[in-house]
Amino acid sequence: MTAPRLIVGLGNPGGDYEATRHNLGFWFIDRLAAGLKVTLAPQGKFFGHAGRRDELWLLKPTTFMNRSGQSVAALARFYKIAPEEVLVVHDELDLPPGGIRIKQGGGNGGHNGLKDIQAQLGSPNFWRLRLGIGHPGNRNEVINFVLKPPRREELDEIDRALDRCLIAWPKLAVGDYATAQQALHTKAV
């Protein structure tokens, strides 16, 4: 079991994007940082807001989604963090609101943040915590959809999913992804 050393939440910086579906990764990092009592502060050399507790880094890139890899790679290279020690938390169109999946490696599913991280790290072997936002039903509507806030009923499901992720955090923190997967992939935790 390889414990994560870097947890990255994906999103877009700025107040215009704060409440949008595309910022679920930021939402998770904010909740995790509060729970761990980690302060996130601007870190210019890492192109984001970062904070540390022991050997664990939390990161919210401020590069905008399609350049997330610049931030992730800068911190990972500086602290010699391998892709297998990185957990990226992001919104997922292919899961319903409240759906959660965790996996290592694989494709990027057209997610520009994941695509850039793969390119910058030179590997797809990082872990992904995929938080469902649902799909608008028409792929021409995807950009508009992810850059809007979730509807009230979706937000309730997303909040419950984030709570489940925090409950599973102790398993994720030690690299026990199999047990965390079982807990996260089952609605009742």
Side-chain angles (χ1 to χ4, degrees):
M1 288 191 288
T2 302
R5 293 178 54 208
L6 171 58
I7 313 297
V8 181
L10 298 187
N12 285 310
D16 290 349
Y17 300 102
E18 200 172 320
T20 66
R21 293 177 178 98
H22 223 17
N23 275 34
L24 259 60
F26 278 12
W27 298 4
F28 175 78
I29 291 293
D30 287 340
R31 289 185 185 199
L32 182 60
L36 296 176
K37 296 180 178 28
V38 171
T39 301
L40 300 174
Q43 299 276 335
K45 67 182 174 186
F46 302 137
F47 309 97
H49 292 117
R52 182 179 185 171
R53 178 175 176 188
D54 302 321
E55 292 300 309
L56 177 69
W57 279 93
L58 304 182
L59 175 66
K60 290 169 44 176
T62 53
T63 53
F64 285 93
M65 186 66 75
N66 61 352
R67 299 286 298 142
S68 298
Q70 179 183 16
S71 176
V72 175
L75 196 148
R77 282 190 197 109
F78 190 84
Y79 288 104
K80 297 176 176 41
I81 298 172
E84 298 78 19
E85 298 173 308
V86 177
L87 173 64
V88 176
V89 184
H90 65 89
D91 59 298
E92 177 60 61
L93 287 163
D94 294 333
L95 292 173
I100 306 169
R101 289 290 177 266
I102 189 165
K103 70 173 194 164
Q104 183 182 22
N108 56 51
H111 194 291
N112 289 330
L114 295 179
K115 196 179 298 182
D116 195 54
I117 292 169
Q118 285 178 349
Q120 294 287 331
L121 290 180
S123 171
N125 291 330
F126 53 90
W127 286 87
R128 302 105 191 272
L129 179 57
R130 302 162 54 212
L131 302 174
I133 59 170
H135 196 286
N138 178 343
R139 68 180 193 161
N140 295 325
E141 291 295 317
V142 166
I143 292 170
N144 192 33
F145 180 76
V146 300
L147 295 178
K148 284 211 162 58
R151 295 188 315 269
R152 174 84 251 150
E153 65 275 10
E154 294 171 339
L155 186 57
D156 291 342
E157 290 295 328
I158 290 166
D159 278 337
R160 283 193 282 277
L162 290 169
D163 289 343
R164 290 192 351 252
C165 290
L166 293 176
I167 290 167
W169 170 248
K171 297 297 182 197
L172 292 171
V174 297
D176 187 355
Y177 290 102
T179 304
Q181 275 180 321
Q182 287 178 321
L184 291 171
H185 295 188
T186 309
K187 274 246 182 177
V189 170

